[in-house]
Amino acid sequence: MKIVRVQDIINTEREVHGPGWTSRRMLLKKDGMGFSFHETIIPAGAELNLWYKHHLEAVYCVAGNGTITDKATGETHEISDGTLYALDKHDQHTLRGGTEDMRLICAFNPPVTGREVHDEDGAYLPDDSEG
């Protein structure tokens, strides 16, 4: 059994920052669960162009607000507490923070190793290492 408390991750190697986001990686590839699990904070007003070409992601908003725009269709959806979106087709998207910081709970498959940051396309590179 694993017990992970987000307050124990803050200011450690499992808290990763990038322009417009902070990710607290609670479960990683090395934890052996077959997925990774993160708490991500998107500040109010942030704008991120993302495209997880090598990962599927499910995201559940537990606080704050914002929007997500599907780049293929141009469709924009409101995000607020209680909203889940799933990037089941490696969807290119723009995530925007709203009037409040968004607190998102995210699961990635395949799992990330923990130090990934977005490349020029907004993707995480695939992990070719074992275990």
Side-chain angles (χ1 to χ4, degrees):
M1 180 182 300
K2 298 177 186 308
I3 306 297
V4 181
R5 292 182 174 82
V6 74
Q7 64 265 28
D8 297 333
I9 291 172
I10 295 171
N11 296 318
T12 73
E13 70 282 349
R14 285 190 180 227
E15 183 178 60
V16 180
H17 304 272
W21 58 274
T22 298
S23 179
R24 298 166 180 150
R25 279 93 191 263
M26 300 178 81
L27 291 174
L28 296 169
K29 181 180 181 180
K30 68 182 175 182
D31 293 310
M33 297 291 295
F35 60 91
S36 57
F37 194 81
H38 316 184
E39 176 186 77
T40 300
I41 307 299
I42 306 297
E47 182 172 315
L48 299 138
N49 290 298
L50 303 169
W51 183 18
Y52 295 117
K53 297 181 276 188
H54 311 289
H55 297 83
L56 298 175
E57 182 189 27
V59 179
Y60 183 66
C61 179
V62 295
N65 61 60
T67 62
I68 186 169
T69 300
D70 182 331
K71 287 189 169 184
T73 66
E75 210 173 358
T76 297
H77 304 275
E78 297 290 325
I79 300 170
S80 60
D81 183 13
T83 303
L84 177 132
Y85 65 88
L87 303 168
D88 60 339
K89 295 177 181 70
H90 304 282
D91 312 85
Q92 269 188 284
H93 61 287
T94 300
L95 186 62
R96 292 181 185 88
T99 59
E100 306 170 354
D101 292 355
M102 273 194 295
R103 183 169 163 243
L104 306 171
I105 306 303
C106 314
F108 277 88
N109 183 18
V112 302
T113 61
R115 299 309 302 170
E116 289 84 354
V117 294
H118 300 106
D119 69 10
E120 64 278 355
D121 289 331
Y124 292 149
L125 295 178
D127 174 42
D128 295 326
S129 67
E130 296 296 318

